[in-house]
Structures are given as C-alpha cells and as structure tokens.
Amino acid sequence: MGACVAWGLARRGLRVCVLDEGDIALRASRANFALIWVQGKGIGFPAYAAWTKAAAEAWPRLAAELRSETGINVGLDQPGGFTLCLSDRELQANVDLMVRLHSQTDAVIYPYEVMDHRQTKARLPAIGPDVSGSIYCPLDGHVNSLRLFRALHAAMKARSVDYRADHAVTAIEPRAGGFALNGAWGTVRAPKVVLAAGLGNARLAPMVGLEALMKPSRGQIIVTEKATPFLRYPVVTVRQTDEGGVMIGDSEEADGSSLRIDHSISSVMADRAIRMFPLLGDLNVVRTWSAFRVMTPDGSPIYEQSETCPGAYVAMAHSGVTLAPQHAFSLADYIATGTIPKEVAVFSTRRFRVPASV
Amino acid sequence: MTEGMVRRGHGIADLADEYDVIVVGAGPAGLSAATMLARFKARTLLVDENQTPGGQIYRAITLAQSADRRRLGEDYWRGRGIAEDFLNSEAEYAPATTAWSIQSVQDDAERIVGQEVGLSSTGMARLIRAKQVVLATGALERPFPIPGWTLPGVMTAGAAQIALKTSGLVPSGKVVIAGTGPLLYLLAAQLIEAGARVSTVLDTTPRENWLRAFRHAPGFLVSPYLAKGLKLLRTVQRRTRVIRWVSELAAEGEGGLREVVWRAGGCEHRLPADLLLLHQGVVPNVNFSNAAGCAHEWDEAQLTFRPQIDEWYGSSVAGLSLAGDGAGIRGAEAAAIQGRIAGLGCASRLGLVAPAERDRLAVPLRRSLARAMRGRRFLDELYRPGKEFRVPQDPDTIVCRCEEISAGQIRTSVSAGAGGPNQMKVFLRCGMGPCQGRLCGLTVTELIADERSKHPCEIGFYRLRFPIKPLRLRELAALPQTQTAKVAVLADLADTHHSADWNERKPQ
Amino acid sequence: MFRRLSDRASGEVTFTFDGLPVRASAGDSVAAALLAAGVRACRTTPVSGAPRGPYCMMGVCFECLVRIDGMDNRQGCLVPVQEGMRVETQHGARALTTEPAQ
Ligand SMILES: Cc1cc2nc3c(=O)[nH]c(=O)nc-3n(C[C@H](O)[C@@H](O)[C@H](O)COP(=O)(O)OP(=O)(O)OC[C@H]3O[C@@H](n4cnc5c(N)ncnc54)[C@H](O)[C@@H]3O)c2cc1C
Ligand SMILES: Cc1cc2nc3c(=O)[nH]c(=O)nc-3n(C[C@H](O)[C@H](O)[C@H](O)COP(=O)(O)OP(=O)(O)OC[C@H]3O[C@@H](n4cnc5c(N)ncnc54)[C@H](O)[C@@H]3O)c2cc1C
Ligand code: FES
C-alpha cells in the first residue's frame, strides 16, 4: 500500500519520503497469496465490487508501467480464475453467493460460469474425482508478489522517493502547516502524511484524529518445491508461481495474537489441495507461514482524510495486491490533489457508524 | 560386539504419542543426553536422520570395522563406547527419522506445558509430544562461497570424510584440499591415511591470525589439541604439498571442475583437478532453534549466530534445551559432556532428580568440560576464515546455491531497499530454496553488513519456517485435523457456515 | 574421483543409474554409490539448468537430488541404496504429470 501510494505521488511530481520498519516486521505484503481476485467480493457493498473490478482492469497498465520504469516483469497473468468445490453443497453455497452478488441493488455485473466436473476437467485436466464443480470468472488472475514488491521498491527509487528502513514512527504531531513524525531515529516533517502502516495504523491513526478499524484475521499458507507447470489458471486456494512453486492457501482465522503455525490447519489445506489435484501429493513442502491480514470490520478498504487534522490520510485494505493499481493511480491522485471524490469517499469509516443501506 | 553392533530402532508408526523427553540428533551430545535421561528413568526418545547413531564425528561407528579404526584413529573409535552406552540404555531410538518442526504446547492459561515435535520417516509424518526436548543437531561446514563452488567435483572436505566413514570411499585422481580450520588437517590426514593421493593442500589461514591467536597460546599449550594438531600437521606435510597464505581461490570448468586457481605470494597459480575439497570450519546448524523461536546472538570469535543458553543448556524457550555443537562450536568431547549436563537439567525439570543432587552430579562434568574446552580460543582465532573467503568480492560468485543468486545481486539489492536478509528473500528469493538458507545464510548476513558498513549482529539472520526439512504434502495432509481447522479453511463449508458470513470469510 | 577401499567387508547390491547397471556396497547411500561409480553430476538445477553433484553428503545442501524409483527430488545422500533400485538424473524441477505417481 505504502509503496503504491508513494510511487503514485512521486509520479505526480511530489517529493515523498517513506518511513518503514526494519527487516522483521508484520508485513502482509511479504506474506500474501498474490491473487488479483474479483469473484465473490462486494456482498452488501457494491462499490467495493466496482472498485475491485476496475482494479483488475487497470492491472495491465500498472504492470506495463512498472516494467518500463524498472525493467522488472511482475508476472501478471489474468487468464481467469477458479473456485473449486469438493462437494455439491460447497458448489451450491458458492453459486448462491454469486447470484446474491449479482442481484443486490446497484450490483456490478461481470461474467462468470458455473461448471460441473466434466467442464472443469476440460480446463483443468489435473483435477481429481472429488471436484464436484467450480466457478470460473474470466476477470481473475495473479502476479508474482515478490517481484511486485521489488518492482515497487525499484520504481520508488527511480522516482527519487526517499525510502528509509529502520525508521519506525512512534509519534505523529500535527503542527501548523503539517506534521512532525518522530521515532528513535529523529524527526521528519511534511505537510501531508499518509498512514499506510498496515496493522501499525491502529496505533498511528488516533494521533491525527483518524480511526483504523480492524478485526483480527490470520492466514496460513503452504509452499512446495518447484515443479513443472501443471496449472494454467489460478485457483482461489491453489496456484503455481511462474517460478514453479505451488502455493496452497489460505486459512482465515479470527486470531490476532499468535503467528504460530497450526499443523492441523496445514493438514486440512494440504488434504483439500490433494483432493483437488491428486498429483500434488508427492511434492515436497518447503515452507509454511502465517500472517495477519490488514482486515477491516467488513473486509473492504478504508480510505479517509482526517477532519481534525486535514492533510493526514489513512489508507488500508485487505487485498492490497488486487487493488494495487487503484492505490498507485487513483488514490495517489486524490491524495495529491487533496480531495477524495464521492465514489471513493464511501470507503471512509463513516460506513461503520450509519447503518448500511442494502 | 566386534564387527558392527546390533541394530536397534523403532519405526515411526510404533512410537508413543508422548514421551518425557525427545532428543533430536544422535551425535555425541544427543547420545549422551539420552543415555543420561534414561538412567533417571525418563521416558526418552532419540531421533536422528541417519541410519545409524554417531552424528558427524562418529558417523557409522556402529558399523565400523577394524580397518576403519586404523584409518580414522582412536578419537573416532571412542564413539563406540558412547553409542554402546546409548544402545544398552532404556531409551527408544528412531533412526532414519527427521524432525521437521517443534512448537510449544500451552495450557489454557497460556503456560508452556510441553513441546510437540513433528517427525517424518518412510513417508509418514507424526506429531509427538514431550515434556522436554533436547536439540542436539550439531554443526555444518561453514559456507565457502568462491567462484565455481557449485561445479560438480567441488565438495566439502567433510563430505569426503562421510564417504570414507560410511562407504570406505577415498578420493582418487587429482585431488586438492583447500581452506582453513582445525578440522582441515584432520580431514586431510584421514584421507591421506586411507590412501588418497592429495596433490596439494591450499591453506587459506590469514597470516595475521597467528598474531591474534598468540594471546590465547597459554590455554592452547596445555590442551590436548596441541599434540594432536602437530601430529596431523606433520602427517599432512610429509605426504603432500602444503601451500600457505592463499589469498584467492576459484574452481573453474565447464559443467564440472577442471582446474583450481589460486593466488599466493602475489602470483596466480593453476592446477588441473578432478576433485576440490573445501573446508573453512564448522558453524552451529541453527535452522531448528531459529524456527523454534529461540533467541540467538552473534558469536564474534566464531563469526556465526548461536542460540542463547543457560547453565543447563536451556534455551530461551521453556522446555527446549540445546546441546553440542549446535549451541556453539566446542568440539566433540565437549558435546558429549554438554549432552550429559543438559540431560541432568531436563531430569531435574521433570522432577526425577533433586536440584542439590543434580548440582552435585554436574560438578565433575563441568570440570571436564572446562578441560575439554581449553585451547578453543586459540583455535578460533587462528582458524578464523579470512573475510575474502566469507564475503565474496567477485560480484559473479554464487551465494545462494538453490536460487542461484550472486554476491553482486545481493549488493545491488541492498541499495535498492533490501536492508536485511528477510527483505532480501523477498527481493531475490535467496534462501528460499530447499536448503532453507543453510548454505547462504551467514554469507548473506555478512554481505549485507559489509555493504551497509554495519555489524552482522545489527543485520540479523533469516527467520526460518517449518518444516525445517522438506516433507511431502501427502504427509502433511495425513496429520490430525481439528474441526476448528476445517472451519478456518472453509472445508465442509455448507455444514459449518451460514452463507451470510461466507463473503466476509472469503478474504482474497 | 573416488575409489573403494578393498579392506572393508560388505555385501554387494546392484542398482541402475539412468538405465545402466551400477554395483555398490550394501550400506552405501545413493549419493556415495554414484560417486564410487564416477558420477559427478546427478542433477540439473530448476533455475538455470546447471549441472550439480553432491556437495555436503550430510543432508543439508540438497545438491544430491535424484529421481529414485520414479519419485523426483530425493536426497541421494540420505537414502540407502537397495538392490534393484532405479535411480535417475533429476532434470530441473520436479516433473508433474497429470497421472499421479502412485
Ligand atoms: C561434516 C562434518 C564432519 C566432522 N568431522 C569431525 C571429526 O572427524 N572430528 C571432530 O572432532 N569433529 C568433527 N566435526 C565437528 C562436529 O561438530 C563434532 O564436534 C561433533 O560431531 C559434534 O557433536 P554433536 O553431537 O553436537 O552433533 P553431530 O555429531 O553433528 O550430530 C548431530 C546429529 O543430528 C542429526 N540431525 C540434525 N538435524 C536433524 C533433524 N532435523 N532431524 C533428525 N536428525 C537431525 C544429524 O544427522 C546428526 O546425526 C565434523 C563436523 C561436520 C559438519
Ligand atoms: C495470508 C494472506 C494472504 C493474502 N492474499 C492476498 C491475495 O491473494 N490477494 C490480495 O490482493 N491480497 C492478499 N492479501 C492481502 C495483502 O497482502 C495486503 O492487503 C497488503 O499487503 C497490505 O499492504 P499494506 O501495505 O497495507 O500492509 P503491510 O504490507 O503490512 O505493510 C505495512 C508496513 O507498514 C510498516 N509499519 C507498521 N507500523 C509502522 C510504524 N509505526 N512506523 C513505520 N512503519 C510502520 C510495516 O513495517 C510494513 O512495512 C493477503 C494477506 C495475507 C496475510
Ligand atoms: S549432498 Fe548435500 S544434501 Fe545430499
């Protein structure tokens, strides 16, 4: 988030400084599943579906610009994506969800297909007999999230963004005409400050009259050794990176306290992955990890300018990979000009105070 | 028991669900810890990846034959007693079994009440509990990143020793041994004794080390290392050419080693070679203790990270002890004594020996430990590998062998924003291959430190993850699954969720 | 690059490497048996295709990967060689075929 916004602001000619923590930090951007995912999002909040869909559509532009500025290919691949279901009930629950999404007021309509086993097998020949069916959405895709991370850093550097690691911010003081950000390392002053500190926002936001509402959310992921390509499309819980490793994800636990690996969860994920793709059974697992998501109470982003301290913004979202183009282009533009337009202002925390009109 | 001892061992399926103590590693430290614990009637399980007990120094000792005794010497043969004591004890033994994970078990009040160890053998994984765990996973040879060290035909000297101990193989053809460290001449002598024709030993010990080491000479003069060391040196010097003050080293060849190139006395030299054996000391194998969350510190004398331990070899994680070279390089003799002390510590924590009795029993052990460690400082200083062999200067030298990442790429990424080894992983994937950073971790830390003009202790190390040794997805899938876990993965979704919270719970 | 000492008694086993018969001693690891047979490189890397051979012989470097009885990426230095075993060069990344290996 921070890197997207910083680069976006620098593209607009602003002088930007990024203050970041050190080598070990809670950093969702280092731990994610790297999907650019549209299907299933935005129940009760069609604006989020629209924002997500536009993000997926803007991804080719972001990938191209990053490539031309840094030479790094982020491995964007948007062939459409699958949700694989291992029982008829699972399939039905997913179908119900898609139907509800497309029939809510102001629904954002996009194409998707419900497939049975045979139809799914035609696209994904490696599936096993336990797959009862799937949902395919042509808008979905994935990237190489490690290369995206590196490309954003390289792009910041190319645009002379002053990136400072080991610069944890401990206090922010609103000052006439701007803000003073303090840490053990000293002070930096700026007329505008964007809080893109992920989980760190919870502490920083109140210092400038903002609120960073979050709920605990933990996700666990399994990664295997490299293998020859077997999967042409990303599946919501299984994808093969362009380097060959297979990622299996990701759990969703309401736990914000511990990052210990739960082998029982790994087991369920591994088991489901093998039932989806039996040929994965003999792959060697090289890593498992868990990470906290930057999860707002309703799962949609929060973008907001402080009323009491204008010039201070908070920007946080789960699905920061999917939304990267929105953050680098649109959000950065709004912050540069100083106003957040109406269609983006719906993502303020006010939505948690007034009853949502569904 | 003359030509090979009885084989004894438990298959993974036969193991109990819970033990008082699990010891990982059947080197001198682990064998001694397990024997000590069995003596106190602790229900003890010793697991080790190898087929037979012995660890590195006493590898294959239970299969050793009289010819091996002659070749490898009395220090090797001593391992028989240690292995025998263990095999005669009540402790259970699971050979050919890899430990891949260890996590604390907590009670409702979040107090640590034990550990759960992930084991894998013959395609089956299990999670087994123990009240106490001793990690005695030993050392590995320090990475030796020179140009061409990935070529087939370049191996570690320790690897050649393993081939000798387990299979009676000796290097043949044109053999060059290069490096530094107290074990270099031992390995060279053992290979020569076994009949290998070593054409040259290239000694990379920096000249200035002699001055530094001199301060610690008094301890060394009264240590057993002195006589042994001199004898080895004589053996090697008599039987092969030793070239000192080597300041640069490279392996060359297409698809395999052809020539060894080095610089000494200001000149470049070349020698055709079929086999280049590298060695520049050993460092603790910290992958397990790191992933288990134990606190580590930088050891300036040994230029490596090592876990912090207390006087009973307890780590910063309750119920987890670390003994032997895995806790800091002290040598095999010290490892065995440490194992016994760690065993006493565990036995006392289990209530099997009263603290006063424990302390009394430890007194002579600590005395022998001090004796065994005499002269270590001298060796550490003398055999401190030169910076040019730890921190590659040539940008093309491969550092991460698995992902094929060069020193130059790492240096460039530092200025691009990757200021630490974990950010470096994200930038370059270095350390993310199957060896999980074992062969690049220290180099990456020191390279970043060099590039940022900082001290390695400020840079830190990779944060390692389970499984610390690969296991098959199928093995993971066969572990017990709780209902909570199924919910967390949305398995059986229709049974466990209302579709209303399905959206919220679907995070991508 | 290695030769076998004749003063150690142990049984003999025969296995194949890339289809050719190789003789080894009982108790050899696959990696040791290959070294004794003069095999220097046992795999190519998934990243660049470079040839590699055993480096540490103690299970930490993962350079000794070979395909054993149809199973890819096994650590040759940790697997004891067995009569009739089928050992093959590991070419790059693990091969995934649509038919699961059983
Ligand atoms: C290759 C090599 C050769 C050496 N040769 C000599 C020598 O000849 N003489 C000498 O004085 N010193 C030698 N050393 C130094 C060595 O460190 C000894 O001091 C001594 O072996 C240390 O004993 P230890 O019990 O601490 O560990 P080790 O003897 O190293 O034993 C550790 C054991 O733990 C096992 N292990 C590690 N991780 C796992 C896991 N995850 N699951 C299951 N098992 C695991 C290993 O396979 C090993 O058997 C050598 C070191 C190396 C690396
Ligand atoms: C398991 C998992 C799977 C995911 N899968 C996907 C996916 O498939 N698709 C998708 O689109 N998204 C996915 N995400 C979400 C995505 O990773 C996040 O939305 C995104 O990375 C959030 O980025 P961020 O910059 O807001 O937060 P972070 O990456 O957490 O960055 C916050 C930064 O702020 C710094 N910081 C914190 N406090 C301070 C302070 N006081 N001073 C200075 N710096 C500070 C931190 O060090 C860190 O660098 C996933 C997340 C997880 C955890
Ligand atoms: S040779 Fe290093 S793991 Fe086998």
Side-chain angles (χ1 to χ4, degrees), chain C residues 31 53-65 75-78:
Chain C
Y55 179 74
C56 75
M57 294 295 277
M58 57 176 278
V60 295
C61 74
F62 292 77
E63 295 290 14
C64 59
L65 300 176
Q75 281 176 279
C77 72
L78 292 182

Side-chain angles (χ1 to χ4, degrees), chain A:
Chain A
M1 173 71 83
C4 283
V5 172
W7 175 64
L9 292 171
R11 277 175 78 247
R12 306 260 319 196
L14 274 70
R15 280 177 55 222
V16 187
C17 172
V18 174
L19 302 171
D20 197 4
E21 291 174 309
D23 190 45
I24 294 191
L26 295 172
R27 200 167 269 139
S29 306
R30 217 156 67 174
N32 62 64
F33 203 66
L35 294 174
I36 296 167
W37 212 250
V38 179
Q39 66 170 289
K41 283 177 183 165
I43 275 276
F45 200 173
Y48 178 43
W51 184 245
T52 298
K53 179 166 172 277
E57 286 158 0
W59 247 107
R61 178 181 158 212
L62 176 63
E65 289 207 17
L66 286 174
R67 185 160 198 170
S68 75
E69 287 202 8
T70 67
I72 298 170
N73 172 3
V74 298
L76 174 69
D77 181 27
Q78 294 176 291
F82 283 85
T83 300
L84 292 186
C85 301
L86 293 174
S87 70
D88 290 339
R89 294 165 85 179
E90 223 176 284
L91 182 61
Q92 194 54 51
N94 279 289
V95 172
D96 290 349
L97 167 72
M98 292 304 275
V99 170
R100 277 207 305 137
L101 258 175
H102 282 80
S103 53
Q104 62 185 340
T105 330
D106 301 325
V108 178
I109 304 299
Y110 52 83
Y112 70 92
E113 289 170 57
V114 180
M115 299 188 190
D116 62 15
H117 177 87
R118 200 181 43 79
Q119 291 163 317
T120 310
K121 183 115 185 154
R123 302 277 195 100
L124 300 173
I127 59 167
D130 285 0
V131 175
S132 49
S134 67
I135 295 184
Y136 169 76
C137 170
L139 302 182
D140 296 330
H142 56 162
V143 284
N144 184 308
S145 69
L146 300 190
R147 285 213 300 280
L148 170 62
F149 193 94
R150 179 155 68 99
L152 285 169
H153 273 268
M156 285 200 290
K157 198 171 159 122
R159 294 272 177 184
S160 306
V161 171
D162 178 6
Y163 172 76
R164 302 189 194 175
D166 301 312
H167 274 61
V169 175
T170 50
I172 309 175
E173 294 163 31
R175 291 273 175 82
F179 301 88
L181 293 92
N182 306 312
W185 38 271
T187 301
V188 164
R189 278 170 233 282
K192 282 186 184 175
V193 55
V194 181
L195 301 182
L199 297 162
N201 284 337
R203 244 189 48 206
L204 299 179
M207 297 175 189
V208 289
L210 285 163
E211 237 183 329
L213 298 170
M214 267 179 274
K215 64 174 184 189
S217 169
R218 206 185 84 120
Q220 198 165 304
I221 290 176
I222 302 172
V223 181
T224 74
E225 63 187 345
K226 294 183 170 79
T228 52
F230 81 101
L231 188 58
R232 264 187 59 211
Y233 303 85
V235 172
V236 71
T237 53
V238 181
R239 67 179 208 95
Q240 188 171 27
T241 71
D242 51 2
E243 288 124 356
V246 179
M247 296 181 69
I248 297 165
D250 50 344
S251 61
E252 165 68 24
E253 305 140 67
D255 179 346
S257 59
S258 154
L259 282 176
R260 64 179 266 138
I261 292 293
D262 183 332
H263 293 313
S264 179
I265 287 179
S266 300
S267 176
V268 181
M269 295 198 302
D271 189 27
R272 283 178 63 83
I274 295 172
R275 284 168 66 203
M276 289 174 186
F277 301 104
L279 80 183
L280 297 181
D282 288 327
L283 279 190
N284 282 319
V285 173
V286 293
R287 249 187 319 285
T288 52
W289 70 78
S290 68
F292 297 127
R293 296 190 179 82
V294 184
M295 188 63 85
T296 62
D298 64 357
S300 299
I302 292 176
Y303 313 117
E304 190 160 31
Q305 176 163 203
S306 169
E307 280 171 17
T308 52
C309 309
Y313 299 80
V314 63
M316 48 194 269
H318 179 64
S319 298
V321 178
T322 305
L323 298 175
Q326 299 288 42
H327 299 151
F329 301 132
S330 309
L331 188 64
D333 284 355
Y334 305 143
I335 290 171
T337 57
T339 45
I340 293 188
K342 234 211 231 96
E343 69 273 19
V344 182
V346 294
F347 293 110
S348 87
T349 52
R350 276 189 298 276
R351 70 179 186 269
F352 300 115
R353 278 171 241 132
V354 295
S357 51
V358 183

Side-chain angles (χ1 to χ4, degrees), chain B residues 231-414:
Chain B
K231 182 160 167 262
L232 293 172
L233 216 60
R234 268 201 306 273
T235 308
V236 175
Q237 271 169 337
R238 212 173 333 116
R239 313 266 292 267
T240 182
R241 170 172 72 144
V242 176
I243 296 175
R244 289 181 202 283
W245 325 129
V246 170
S247 60
E248 269 176 53
L249 183 65
E252 290 185 2
E254 277 296 314
L257 173 71
R258 282 218 125 148
E259 275 191 314
V260 178
V261 188
W262 73 91
R263 185 171 277 281
C267 304
E268 188 182 286
H269 307 265
R270 296 180 162 264
L271 193 68
D274 302 310
L275 185 63
L276 169 62
L277 300 176
L278 297 174
H279 178 87
Q280 53 176 351
V282 298
V283 293
N285 183 356
V286 295
N287 274 48
F288 221 147
S289 50
N290 174 312
C294 301
H296 288 68
E297 62 200 5
W298 179 257
D299 183 330
E300 187 60 28
Q302 300 186 342
L303 298 169
T304 186
F305 287 99
R306 64 169 154 79
Q308 290 172 5
I309 39 166
D310 64 21
E311 56 175 335
W312 299 101
Y313 294 88
S315 75
S316 64
V317 174
L320 187 56
S321 309
L322 304 158
D325 276 0
I329 305 304
R330 305 281 181 263
E333 214 183 319
I337 305 167
Q338 289 175 0
R340 266 177 258 151
I341 299 176
L344 276 177
C346 288
S348 132
R349 268 173 252 128
L350 289 166
L352 299 173
V353 56
E357 175 68 357
R358 170 199 66 187
D359 294 351
R360 196 184 62 76
L361 291 170
V363 172
L365 293 176
R366 292 191 196 282
R367 210 176 302 130
S368 350
L369 184 60
R371 209 174 314 122
M373 275 165 36
R374 255 189 235 155
R376 266 279 142 192
R377 279 308 298 270
F378 178 85
L379 295 178
D380 286 344
E381 292 295 344
L382 180 60
Y383 292 120
R384 196 182 158 96
K387 184 172 172 190
E388 58 279 29
F389 297 108
R390 304 186 328 261
V391 186
Q393 303 301 308
D394 178 350
D396 293 331
T397 304
I398 286 186
V399 170
C400 167
R401 300 172 63 109
C402 298
E403 295 288 338
E404 299 181 50
I405 306 298
S406 70
Q409 283 173 285
I410 289 169
R411 289 189 192 270
T412 320
S413 297
V414 171

Side-chain angles (χ1 to χ4, degrees), chain B residues 152-166:
Chain B
V154 181
M155 301 175 76
T156 68
Q161 190 204 38
I162 292 169
L164 175 64
K165 287 177 182 169
T166 57

Side-chain angles (χ1 to χ4, degrees), chain B residues 68-201:
Chain B
D68 298 303
R69 177 176 192 169
R70 213 177 334 106
R71 254 193 304 275
L72 294 165
E74 289 308 309
D75 276 352
Y76 175 63
W77 205 248
R78 188 169 304 143
R80 265 175 95 87
I82 296 178
E84 246 165 67
D85 286 349
F86 166 73
L87 292 172
N88 291 331
S89 77
E90 292 294 310
E92 283 179 43
Y93 173 42
T97 302
T98 302
W100 52 271
S101 136
I102 177 166
Q103 297 202 111
S104 307
V105 182
Q106 297 183 341
D107 66 7
D108 291 338
E110 297 192 356
R111 276 185 312 244
I112 296 181
V113 292
Q115 304 285 334
E116 186 181 67
V117 183
L119 301 180
S120 163
S121 180
T122 56
M124 178 179 182
R126 284 186 63 190
L127 298 171
I128 294 185
R129 290 194 175 194
K131 298 191 187 91
Q132 298 282 322
V133 169
V134 181
L135 291 182
T137 51
L140 45 87
E141 289 171 275
R142 181 190 291 279
F144 206 141
I146 55 164
W149 70 312
T150 54
L151 289 172
V154 181
M155 301 175 76
T156 68
Q161 190 204 38
I162 292 169
L164 175 64
K165 287 177 182 169
T166 57
S167 298
L169 299 186
V170 286
S172 67
K174 290 167 272 183
V175 182
V176 176
I177 299 181
T180 182
L183 287 176
L184 184 78
Y185 285 94
L186 168 70
L187 301 178
Q190 286 177 338
L191 295 175
I192 290 170
E193 212 59 69
R197 236 171 291 128
V198 176
S199 62
T200 305
V201 172

